Amino acid sequence: MTPPNPQEPAEVRKKTPSDFIFGKVIGEGSYSTVYLAQDVQTKKEFAIKVLKKKHIIREKKTESVMREKEVLRILGNSCPYFVNLYSTFQDYDSLYFVLTYAKNGELLKHINLHNKFNFECTQYYTAELVLALEYLHSKHIVHRDLKPENILFDHNFHIIITDFGSANIEKTDNQTNNGETDLITALENTRRRRSFVGTAQFVSPEMLQESESSAASDLWALGCIVYQMTCGHMPFVGGNEYFIFQKIIKLEYEFPDGFDKRAQDLVENLLVLEPNRRLGASDVVPYTSIREHQMFEGINWNDLGPPPLLS
Ligand SMILES: Nc1ncnc2c1ncn2[C@@H]1O[C@H](COP(=O)(O)OP(=O)(O)OP(=O)(O)O)[C@@H](O)[C@H]1O
Ligand SMILES: O=C(O)[C@@H]1CCC(=O)N(CCc2ccc(Cl)cc2)[C@H]1c1ccccc1Cl
């Protein structure tokens, strides 16, 4: 590897691994390792996701990696609720993604630590998720694998959504410029349908049956996450994926005793089999129908204020 040219200002030169001090491993994926790293020059901390090219090829994830990069490029750094991609670089063996470091880890860890969240915390984090989904869907991007493992906390305990490898960038009307593009899109979507499903417990019924996904698929996942923050476990569980899928398409779940009634009503209006009938599905962003729900009584949507102490 050629050493960086110190005369060239770092901000314009393509970064290389030697621009960073790699620290502890903060997480592992099926074909990636995430390190805590410090920029040698600025001393700033980042999460650097390192993907071994041979693993990407073995897992057939090249398209997923390119899509995640494209989604992160589209999202930019305008919304605080998404991981920011500062830079990418590669060497012979690996690809490197320099990302926002979410210091306080996964939402899932904190739900399990506290067994479940109190109403104030559930209300606050559901509101942050609504604002995040409004931004994401306004960019015509559907996450498609939203779950407490992919929702991280930054140093101030605000959410940072990550893992866009399963995301879909929806074609908008003005992007289909000719019949041929439609055919390519249709072929790509057909091939992708065969291969893609999110995570069993959070996947929407339409993605299980017709494999059509839309912004409403993320609203289904939101319903599952509100349920889990409120009572500490997932609405659809089973011994294996087949039994979980059966419960989802039959809408077979129940609310434990003591489940907050406001949260229950919101969940019941999100976990609707027909995607277009889910609360917010017919809204043109912002999700006015969701914002006006009793779950959010007292919330100032223009300023959520600081996060409540987790409990
Ligand atoms: N920006 C980040 N800041 C802090 N921790 C992170 C960040 N990104 C990922 N992690 C942690 O690293 C772990 C691995 O993340 P990674 O995106 O590499 O794989 P994954 O998406 O979790 O797994 P898979 O690729 O199988 O879906 C995550 O579970 C998360 O806990
Ligand atoms: O899209 C980009 O920004 C470049 C374009 C040039 C390039 O070669 N790559 C790497 C493409 C790639 C993807 C998967 C494997 Cl297994 C190997 C190379 C892309 C890349 C470089 C660094 C980090 C990520 C990516 Cl996708």
Side-chain angles (χ1 to χ4, degrees), residues 47 54 66 88 96 142 154 160 164 174 201-202 206 215 222 224 260 308 311:
K54 65 181 179 184
M66 303 301 277
T88 59
Y96 298 81
V142 181
D154 71 9
I160 294 189
F164 289 91
N174 59 12
Q201 292 83 350
F202 298 88
E206 66 273 13
L222 177 65
C224 294
D260 183 279
S311 65

Side-chain angles (χ1 to χ4, degrees), residues 14 52-54 56-57 62 65-66 69 88-90 95-97:
K14 194 79 175 162
K52 291 284 184 209
K53 293 178 181 177
K54 65 181 179 184
I56 295 171
I57 293 163
T62 299
V65 169
M66 303 301 277
K69 185 175 180 295
T88 59
F89 48 87
Q90 63 179 311
L95 305 181
Y96 298 81
F97 286 66

